Amino acid sequence: MSSDTTSSDTTSPGTKGSDTTGSGTTPHTQPTGDGTATTTGGPPPDGAPAARPKLFRDASLSAVLAGFVAVVVSYSGPLVIVLAAANAGHLDRAQTSSWVWAISIGSGITCIALSLRTRMPVITAFSTPGAALLVTSLGAYSYAEAIGAFLVTGAVITLVGLTGVFGRLMRQVPTAVVSAMLAGILFSFGTGVFTSLKTAPWIAGAVLVVYLLAKRWIARYAVLLALAAGVVCSAVTSRLDIHVDHIELAKPVFTTPAFSVGSLIGIAVPMILATLASQNAPGMAVLSASGYEPKDRLLIGSTGLASTALAPFGSHAINLAAITAAICTGPEAHRDPRRRYVAGVSCGFFYLLIGAFGSTLVVLFAGLPKELVAAVAGVALFGALAGGLTGAVKEEKDREAALITFLATASGVTIAGIGSAFWGLVFGVVAHLVLTRMRTGRKAAA
């Protein structure tokens, strides 16, 4: 692993790999998402790796930690919804373990493969809104019918991704609106650091104080030290609740899919819409706002294929992540955008490790205090949140549309089962079009 003793970040998310070291030059190399790099001006900084460097040369503790924190956040929150859905669908222990195995293995393989292929920190995850949908609908159908709906969901998302339709729509969204949506998504996580002070002042306080002190002198290890401080305080205050009776390898359970009109309408259709709008759209936006140029056909198509292949084992949907992606795409993962892909590989490794043991190791994360998870996630996302806010207000002509996007996204409103991130994009684009046309009309009249 490489050492990094810089005391400040030189690259902010939301810029196309820009370098603010004081040289006044724009970035040297820009990751493009297809495994190549394009030179955008200025020589590479001293000691910079080649365009396609080796993984171990690029590895750093901060990037590995970013991947670990992303997995902790995934299993400490969204997985609870999956387990609730399994309970609502009356799944037995073997089926539930297979479900956890499938979504973990799918997320792990796509994280590693896509991050290595694109040299971007591509973070994938299981669909959280999709799991929430299943809490209320899974019990109405047989498990085989649900598997059939999962299979159709994966196939449709694959088709949408490979045709490039989804990417063409996303590329029409203004940069300021994308940055504002990212800031809106991360806003509640930033405030979560401080709301946690009310219920767990010692834990959240230790995380924040240690993070700030470490950020001053050893910035690259600030999140690691903050996490360590939070775990110690949790143990001292008797807030850790981890009980592992035994550890056993997961055994995938294959279920022959069945198809019915009811399950396709009740599960597949809303799952497709929720996954594309509430997960993949923000996921693409996070990568773009962090300075990368994601290839939608490769990313959406690959996650769709993974969903389809693992559907018979219980995977409801694999998609691009947004919140956990921001942990790995920002400067906290590494000051050099070209080396943040290691965080994606790290995230995938931990997914595979946990997935291999099914639901057994989930208790390790479920036993962490929610305030600890909220505080660590919050400080890990400070850099990405700052980058999103910067990008949102950079151009004066786009500020109102960006503000509307930010407020709509941060509101957390859900309409027609689709989350606020998608509606923030919709409202922001509409506002941008209205305001742009009004300005154009006034200029023409003058």
Side-chain angles (χ1 to χ4, degrees):
M1 292 188 179
S2 64
S3 60
D4 191 341
T5 57
T6 55
S7 61
S8 61
D9 295 312
T10 59
T11 306
S12 62
T15 61
K16 296 288 183 180
S18 59
D19 189 340
T20 56
T21 56
S23 63
T25 60
T26 41
H28 31 280
T29 305
Q30 170 60 33
T32 63
D34 60 358
T36 62
T38 57
T39 302
T40 57
D46 293 338
R52 291 184 66 84
K54 294 181 179 179
L55 176 63
F56 291 109
R57 182 191 305 170
D58 281 349
S60 64
L61 180 60
S62 58
V64 172
L65 177 66
F68 176 73
V69 171
V71 170
V72 169
V73 172
S74 291
Y75 284 111
S76 299
L79 192 66
V80 175
I81 302 176
V82 171
L83 299 179
N87 183 63
H90 308 292
L91 272 60
D92 59 33
R93 180 181 176 86
Q95 291 170 327
T96 301
S97 178
S98 180
W99 189 352
V100 174
W101 173 87
I103 58 179
S104 301
I105 295 301
S107 300
I109 291 175
T110 49
C111 272
I112 294 173
L114 292 174
S115 293
L116 289 175
R117 172 69 179 84
T118 64
R119 287 302 191 264
M120 298 187 302
V122 179
I123 308 301
T124 59
F126 42 91
S127 175
T128 301
L133 163 72
L134 294 172
V135 172
T136 57
S137 62
L138 189 57
Y141 309 96
S142 69
Y143 185 54
E145 288 178 317
I147 292 296
F150 297 167
L151 196 63
V152 171
T153 297
V156 172
I157 291 176
T158 301
L159 181 63
V160 171
L162 293 179
T163 56
V165 173
F166 187 79
R168 285 195 292 271
L169 292 175
M170 285 298 299
R171 283 189 286 274
Q172 302 306 311
V173 181
T175 301
V177 170
V178 171
S179 295
M181 187 208 67
L182 171 62
I185 291 173
L186 304 182
F187 178 74
S188 62
F189 287 84
T191 59
V193 177
F194 304 97
T195 56
S196 297
L197 289 170
K198 180 178 180 180
T199 54
W202 288 106
I203 296 174
V207 169
L208 180 59
V209 170
V210 171
Y211 172 81
L212 292 174
L213 292 175
K215 191 72 175 178
R216 174 63 181 84
W217 286 288
I218 43 176
R220 198 47 50 195
Y221 309 111
V223 177
L224 172 62
L225 294 175
L227 173 62
V231 171
V232 170
C233 282
S234 298
V236 171
T237 57
S238 302
R239 290 292 305 275
L240 290 179
D241 185 24
I242 299 176
H243 303 285
V244 180
D245 297 328
H246 63 282
I247 296 177
E248 60 182 9
L249 291 174
K251 298 177 181 179
V253 177
F254 182 90
T255 300
T256 303
F259 302 94
S260 69
V261 175
S263 65
L264 293 181
I265 295 176
I267 295 179
V269 172
M271 182 88 71
I272 291 167
L273 295 175
T275 301
L276 287 173
S278 297
Q279 297 285 154
N280 283 324
M284 290 280 290
V286 167
L287 284 168
S288 297
S290 299
Y292 299 96
E293 298 176 9
K295 302 298 182 181
D296 55 281
R297 294 189 181 188
L298 174 63
L299 302 187
I300 306 300
S302 296
T303 55
L305 285 172
S307 299
T308 305
L310 292 167
F313 300 98
S315 173
H316 59 292
I318 304 297
N319 48 244
L320 295 179
I323 295 167
T324 50
I327 296 174
C328 298
T329 57
E332 299 298 337
H334 201 282
R335 64 185 180 87
D336 187 348
R338 297 172 302 172
R339 295 174 65 179
R340 294 174 193 167
Y341 76 93
V342 176
V345 177
S346 167
C347 183
F349 169 78
F350 287 114
Y351 268 134
L352 293 178
L353 178 63
I354 296 169
F357 296 95
S359 58
T360 304
L361 292 185
V362 172
V363 295
L364 292 175
F365 299 96
L368 296 175
K370 64 179 186 298
E371 294 88 355
L372 170 61
V373 176
V376 172
V379 296
L381 289 167
F382 277 172
L385 176 56
L389 292 172
T390 300
V393 301
K394 187 175 182 180
E395 299 291 338
E396 184 176 357
K397 64 182 180 62
D398 294 327
R399 285 178 186 169
E400 287 181 274
L403 176 62
I404 291 173
T405 302
F406 172 77
L407 294 175
T409 304
S411 71
V413 64
T414 298
I415 303 174
I418 299 176
S420 61
F422 173 76
W423 295 114
L425 284 177
V426 171
F427 292 137
V429 169
V430 171
H432 173 79
L433 292 175
V434 171
L435 294 173
T436 300
R437 289 183 178 180
M438 287 178 62
R439 293 190 188 100
T440 304
R442 284 196 298 266
K443 289 180 180 179

